[in-house]
Amino acid sequence: QVQLVESGGGLVQPGGSLRLSCAVSGSKYYARIGWTRQAPGKEREGLSCIDSSDGMTYYADSVKGRFTISRDTAKNTVFLQMDSLRPEDTAVYYCATVESYLLPRMWVSYPIADYWGQGTQVTVSS
């Protein structure tokens, strides 16, 4: 079993920043961890993926240049730094494990996972 726990969500004004955390624990190590989000009435959207084996990262076009994914391997925690937030970024944000056979680019386009966190709400509003 693997557990993922997100934190760091909240209410922020447009143009502001938030840093989400995803603490990963359990019996299986995943080198790749990804972030997704789901807004009300919309499908889940893949945002970013990091591969700790080589440091590679990948971003969806909707967040490229504004969001940054990183990982503290010692603490097995993945972060999503979100800058220049917009009202359309309002959603529940989830982290998830990414199987090794899935290229990060593929996963961001089709985010599937064996393990998901419970989600953290991000609201961007003035």
Side-chain angles (χ1 to χ4, degrees):
Q1 282 286 357
V2 176
Q3 295 81 39
L4 302 96
V5 179
E6 302 97 335
S7 60
L11 173 64
V12 63
Q13 292 187 342
S17 298
L18 280 176
R19 188 192 195 203
L20 305 184
S21 298
C22 172
V24 185
S25 63
S27 57
K28 181 178 178 180
Y29 176 77
Y30 284 84
R32 294 175 181 165
I33 299 292
W35 283 95
T36 69
R37 67 186 178 190
Q38 188 164 21
K42 294 188 176 181
E43 294 187 353
R44 192 186 301 267
E45 177 187 12
L47 302 177
S48 183
C49 180
I50 186 167
D51 188 333
S52 298
S53 63
D54 58 11
M56 291 292 292
T57 59
Y58 189 82
Y59 299 92
D61 288 343
S62 59
V63 303
K64 194 176 298 181
R66 300 188 300 123
F67 290 11
T68 304
I69 192 170
S70 61
R71 187 169 188 169
D72 183 336
T73 54
K75 297 181 179 180
N76 207 9
T77 299
V78 178
F79 304 98
L80 188 67
Q81 176 67 39
M82 307 188 297
D83 299 318
S84 303
L85 284 163
R86 307 166 179 166
E88 54 264 38
D89 294 318
T90 296
V92 179
Y93 284 69
Y94 302 88
C95 59
T97 56
V98 180
E99 293 295 334
S100 59
Y101 65 84
L102 289 171
L103 295 175
R105 177 189 302 178
M106 292 173 53
W107 187 86
V108 168
S109 297
Y110 304 100
I112 59 173
D114 287 340
Y115 299 99
W116 296 87
Q118 83 287 352
T120 185
Q121 176 70 47
V122 171
T123 302
V124 185
S125 174
S126 55

